Amino acid sequence: MKFIVSKEIFDDIPSALFGVIIARGIDNHKSYDWIKDMLDESIKECKKFYEGKVVKESAPITYYRDAFRALGINPNKFMCSIEALVTRTVKKGEMPNINTLVDLGNALSLKYNIPLGIHDIDHFSGDMEIKKATGNEGFIPFGGETVEHPDKGEVIYVSGTDVKTRRWTWRQGENSKITEDTTNVFIPLDAFLENKDDMLKLQGEFADILKNKLGAIVSIGIVDKDNNEFEF
């Protein structure tokens, strides 16, 4: 199985960079107080970092807004997941605990200001790709049942014809939902050359926790314009 980023994506955003984490054998039924503490700390630091700032005008977020525009996505109408997460955190100052993997992902995404997805590998129907939609792929919104079809040319995360995320990092679907029964995951970290150092720190910390604290079998990789595939 491969993770493939279409070369036409790099034509639009040449500085795009994707960290990859594959983790297998996770027991997501368990909960850990230290993960809840991590999330609380990330929320606290996020509020502190953005105090007195306009989220959408701040450097960690502007990278994604600029990339959305380059991909033909209106960032005011379709907010990148990290902007949505930060905005909600700054306004509410709290976040519900979902499960171990989701809470850990949220904590680290907030800590490094980088969007990430967590997808159940056992629900894949082919290679995972980032590419422009043909219009024939299907997407079920989170919590929904009705199948939507992305617009032709829309940037999607897709496995086979099953769309996992619409408009790049805008909205993850029902078929990627992480539950307590999830054991094997594909985690993409969406970044750029401009925030590569933070992406590498995020990748390293996430992989270390998954391996040494959660007992997963872990592999990592990077996809960029010069190497647009990662096999796992």
Side-chain angles (χ1 to χ4, degrees):
M1 191 173 290
K2 295 180 179 180
F3 172 48
I4 305 168
V5 181
S6 170
K7 291 185 178 180
E8 61 184 341
I9 303 300
F10 294 110
D11 290 340
D12 293 331
I13 41 174
S15 67
L17 183 71
F18 302 88
V20 185
I21 303 172
I22 307 297
R24 300 181 183 274
I26 299 166
D27 184 353
N28 205 36
H29 287 274
K30 294 182 179 179
S31 61
Y32 302 87
D33 288 340
W34 56 267
I35 291 181
K36 295 177 182 179
D37 291 342
M38 277 183 64
L39 181 56
D40 289 343
E41 181 63 20
S42 290
I43 291 170
K44 177 183 175 182
E45 291 300 315
C46 177
K47 286 180 63 66
K48 181 179 178 181
F49 179 84
Y50 285 98
E51 185 176 1
K53 299 177 183 177
V54 178
V55 171
K56 68 179 183 179
E57 296 176 359
S58 300
I61 304 301
T62 54
Y63 301 144
Y64 297 93
R65 292 179 65 86
D66 290 345
F68 265 42
R69 293 188 186 96
L71 294 171
I73 305 169
N74 183 344
N76 295 314
K77 185 176 182 181
F78 304 106
M79 192 181 295
C80 176
S81 61
I82 186 59
E83 182 179 349
L85 184 65
V86 167
T87 299
R88 183 176 62 201
T89 299
V90 170
K91 286 183 178 179
K92 295 187 176 182
E94 59 182 11
M95 191 178 301
N97 296 114
I98 308 298
N99 57 54
T100 291
L101 280 171
V102 174
D103 291 352
L104 180 57
N106 284 336
L108 292 172
S109 185
L110 279 177
K111 179 177 180 178
Y112 292 101
N113 286 284
I114 291 175
L116 60 86
I118 305 178
H119 303 272
D120 192 325
I121 292 174
D122 296 325
H123 291 168
F124 284 9
S125 54
D127 292 333
M128 176 65 95
E129 301 179 73
I130 303 179
K131 66 179 185 178
K132 294 185 179 181
T134 64
N136 296 319
E137 301 87 355
F139 174 82
I140 301 176
F142 193 82
E145 297 179 355
T146 303
V147 177
E148 301 176 355
H149 298 284
D151 300 330
K152 185 176 181 179
E154 179 184 322
V155 177
I156 55 174
Y157 267 93
V158 62
S159 176
T161 59
D162 181 19
V163 177
K164 302 299 183 179
T165 305
R166 289 195 63 182
R167 294 185 176 89
W168 188 19
T169 59
W170 170 57
R171 179 174 293 174
Q172 195 164 311
E174 179 68 17
N175 289 342
S176 270
K177 184 167 65 177
I178 299 302
T179 71
E180 291 182 345
D181 293 327
T182 299
T183 58
N184 305 307
V185 293
F186 164 84
I187 305 170
L189 316 175
D190 304 88
F192 310 94
L193 293 176
E194 292 85 348
N195 59 349
K196 179 180 179 179
D197 288 347
D198 283 334
M199 187 280 287
L200 292 175
K201 290 176 184 176
L202 166 54
Q203 185 183 45
E205 184 171 355
F206 208 158
D208 179 70
I209 290 171
L210 289 166
K211 180 180 179 180
N212 296 315
K213 292 189 176 182
L214 300 183
I217 299 171
V218 177
S219 60
I220 63 173
I222 293 177
V223 168
D224 59 22
K225 67 182 180 65
D226 297 319
N227 181 27
N228 73 316
E229 295 185 6
F230 174 76
E231 188 167 357
F232 62 95

